[in-house]
Amino acid sequence: MEHHIRMPLTKDKVKELKAGDYVYITGTLYSARDAAHKRMYESLEKGEVLPFPLENQIIYYMGPTPGREGQVIGSAGPTTSGRMDKYTPCLLNQGLCGMIGKGKRSEEVLSGMKQNTAVYFAAVGGAGALLSKCIKKSEVIAYEDLGTEAVRKLYAENFPVIVAADSEGNDIYDIK
Amino acid sequence: MKIIESVQITEAVKEMCIEVNYKLSEDMHEALRQAGEREESALGVQILEQLEQNMKIAAESKIPICQDTGMTVVFMQIGQDVRIEGDYIEDAVNEGIRRGYKEGYLRKSVVGDPIFRKNTEDNTPGVIHYEIVPGDKIKITVAPKGFGSENMSRVIMLKPADGITGVKQAVLETVKAAGANACPPMVIGVGIGGTFEKCALLAKKALTRKVASYSDIPYVRELEKELLDEINGLGIGPAGFGGTVTAVGLNIETCPTHIAGLPVAVNICCHVNRHITRVL
């Protein structure tokens, strides 16, 4: 099944997405990977406010290469999601609705997704040049000192992903 | 005695860092193209087509093939009749990496301390291996290594009694555990023998061989073929979404070891298996 969705997500939209479906996403995505997740996690532990709203949003696990003049962004493919598993349940509890990465998630993440009606998408690993063409705007909005690991607000058009795990706990990496 | 200036090393490393991140070697291109013909899953074929398209875009639009432009592994084979003049060789190589990653718009992916993790902002230091060889030349191989696949690699200290069956099992289990994380179709480098660190180095070196090449040692060649077939029977497939192409190459290097040991290292690489060699 194929879906074209516009951001932000809603719980109803998330429920329609099933493991294995093709999805093209248009709208805002936030990039964050290892170091940014650690900071967000520590902020939440201290009761601080996060630098961007998680409610109904998608985090893209990605750290790009720098863009050349005239390029919005450089190579921009997904990184391995499993490294973010430790930090993810608490972000889901804050309203995070979706994640884009690659590879399997932990049981804790899958059950957090069920509880919070969230979806996990996979983009094709190693296709960073191709995926960069779907990113039309990019702006660093937090943790600038982290370089490639800073949080970026991206605007994507028809960003191609596959539902890797849906809100009912079905996992494409287990189906085959 | 031949004199090589350290600036020649810096310049060569810089150029190689850039070239290797924008363009895959011909043997990898060919291996991926053939993989498309062998793949039986429709989704798998589609993924492989995307990877081909990705490489085209990388070359045309000057965007690195993958955003993980790697930690820079450099093999330096230095002829014993060479004299290097100028800077300390390690500084010369790192300066080449520094310039290459800046001028080539490559990602700076190195942190200075493994625990405190502050980015060094120029992708240095590289991981540099030196070997003294006969002759009066310097052979430099630059092989940037992405960590999606590096993280899935393993060293297993088998017992001599585990034999070839144990080796096969160790490789298959490592590949199975790597799954989608390693961005399949993968290339697999295996090192057998030596010591703990020697087998790891052999496995890394195996990744710099031509992807469809085979060992000169008959039993090793057979093992390479058997393991590649069995890996492709695991069903992991392109991007880990299922399929018949999980790996496009598997190279094994062996060396003598201790009477008590059978070390095996499995170094996994994604389909962006980058390596480039130049001789000064």
Side-chain angles (χ1 to χ4, degrees):
Chain A
M1 176 117 185
E2 200 175 293
H3 310 261
H4 288 259
I5 57 172
R6 290 197 82 88
M7 294 303 296
L9 284 171
T10 60
K11 303 275 178 208
D12 287 338
K13 276 195 235 177
V14 169
K15 281 181 195 156
E16 286 172 22
L17 306 173
K18 304 292 173 206
D21 287 356
Y22 290 56
V23 182
Y24 297 87
I25 305 169
T26 296
T28 297
L29 306 173
Y30 293 94
S31 77
R33 48 170 294 154
D34 307 63
H37 272 76
K38 182 166 186 279
R39 277 204 196 165
M40 289 193 285
Y41 184 81
E42 287 167 357
S43 284
L44 288 172
E45 274 189 329
K46 284 186 234 158
E48 293 167 3
V49 181
L50 293 181
F52 63 99
L54 290 177
E55 188 99 35
N56 297 327
Q57 299 302 323
I58 290 178
I59 291 181
Y60 181 19
Y61 303 139
M62 186 275 292
T65 62
R68 289 168 190 270
E69 225 167 284
Q71 287 176 348
V72 172
I73 199 164
S75 200
T79 195
T80 307
S81 310
R83 294 194 314 273
M84 269 51 80
D85 283 355
K86 174 183 171 184
Y87 308 117
T88 299
C90 89
L91 301 184
L92 290 168
N93 291 338
Q94 296 288 315
L96 179 69
C97 238
M99 298 147 285
I100 306 172
K102 66 174 166 90
K104 258 179 103 61
R105 306 308 301 264
S106 67
E107 283 304 319
E108 290 74 19
V109 171
L110 294 179
S111 89
M113 284 168 53
K114 268 203 239 178
Q115 277 165 25
N116 295 286
T117 317
V119 60
Y120 167 50
F121 302 104
V124 176
L130 179 79
L131 291 168
S132 77
K133 295 286 183 186
C134 303
I135 297 173
K136 305 299 177 185
K137 285 184 209 161
S138 168
E139 181 197 356
V140 171
I141 56 156
Y143 311 151
E144 194 164 2
D145 61 299
L146 293 179
T148 185
E149 295 200 77
V151 172
R152 287 170 173 78
K153 186 177 182 183
L154 310 170
Y155 184 83
E157 268 175 24
N158 293 316
F159 192 87
V161 292
I162 287 174
V163 178
D166 61 32
S167 56
E168 287 165 11
N170 301 305
D171 182 352
I172 190 177
Y173 297 117
D174 279 341
I175 292 171
K176 48 166 200 282
Chain B
M1 172 116 357
K2 182 173 157 188
I3 292 170
I4 292 179
E5 301 281 340
S6 64
V7 288
Q8 289 175 264
I9 296 171
T10 298
E11 191 60 19
V13 169
K14 180 194 95 174
E15 289 173 5
M16 286 192 280
C17 284
I18 297 172
E19 189 181 335
V20 78
N21 273 298
Y22 285 86
K23 196 172 164 286
L24 273 190
S25 55
E26 210 39 61
D27 58 316
M28 273 307 295
H29 263 288
E30 181 56 22
L32 286 169
R33 200 189 54 73
Q34 285 179 12
E37 289 169 8
R38 280 201 317 274
E39 180 54 60
E40 288 169 20
S41 127
L43 177 53
V45 170
Q46 210 179 318
I47 302 290
L48 291 168
E49 280 168 6
Q50 282 191 31
L51 296 183
E52 195 154 349
Q53 213 184 330
N54 182 63
M55 284 192 284
K56 219 171 142 222
I57 292 171
E60 285 171 6
S61 304
K62 290 200 177 139
I63 301 170
I65 303 164
C66 177
Q67 75 290 338
D68 188 353
T69 50
M71 186 161 196
T72 322
V73 178
V74 183
F75 291 99
M76 300 287 293
Q77 285 188 323
I78 303 164
Q80 62 182 4
D81 298 329
V82 173
R83 187 184 139 76
I84 296 160
E85 285 195 346
D87 294 330
Y88 170 44
I89 186 168
E90 182 108 357
D91 293 341
V93 173
N94 278 321
E95 184 59 25
I97 294 171
R98 186 174 290 120
R99 290 189 200 165
Y101 276 69
K102 184 169 189 287
E103 292 173 31
Y105 292 87
L106 304 176
R107 196 176 77 180
K108 286 73 181 173
S109 310
V110 174
V111 293
D113 179 278
I115 301 300
F116 294 103
R117 310 196 70 81
K118 188 175 166 8
N119 199 304
T120 62
E121 295 177 11
D122 60 9
N123 220 53
T124 68
V127 174
I128 309 165
H129 303 288
Y130 302 93
E131 205 179 322
I132 306 297
V133 297
D136 64 354
K137 293 182 166 48
I138 297 181
K139 186 173 171 187
I140 309 174
T141 298
V142 172
K145 189 63 172 72
F147 258 58
S149 54
E150 192 74 352
N151 278 337
M152 307 316 289
S153 304
R154 285 183 186 168
V155 171
I156 307 113
M157 301 303 283
L158 295 176
K159 297 179 188 73
D162 294 323
I164 204 157
T165 316
V167 172
K168 280 176 83 169
Q169 202 183 333
V171 174
L172 288 171
E173 275 173 13
T174 305
V175 172
K176 230 188 272 182
N181 287 6
C183 287
M186 316 171 197
V187 178
I188 296 142
V190 180
I192 309 174
T195 48
F196 182 78
E197 85 286 6
K198 178 72 181 181
C199 70
L201 192 55
L202 286 178
K204 179 74 78 205
K205 269 195 169 173
L207 287 175
T208 66
R209 259 171 51 193
K210 276 208 174 2
V211 70
S213 65
Y214 291 105
S215 170
D216 293 333
I217 307 165
Y219 91 87
V220 177
R221 185 163 50 232
E222 283 313 304
L223 188 58
E224 286 173 335
K225 288 178 185 169
E226 271 173 46
L227 273 172
L228 188 58
D229 279 350
E230 287 186 42
I231 285 166
N232 284 324
L234 291 174
I236 296 168
F241 297 147
T244 48
V245 177
T246 298
V248 293
L250 182 141
N251 295 337
I252 301 175
E253 294 286 324
T254 61
C255 80
T257 189
H258 189 276
I259 47 173
L262 176 50
V264 177
V266 187
N267 197 186
I268 306 230
C269 191
C270 59
H271 52 84
V272 192
N273 180 26
R274 294 159 289 202
H275 51 89
I276 184 169
T277 298
R278 203 183 274 188
V279 179
L280 298 181

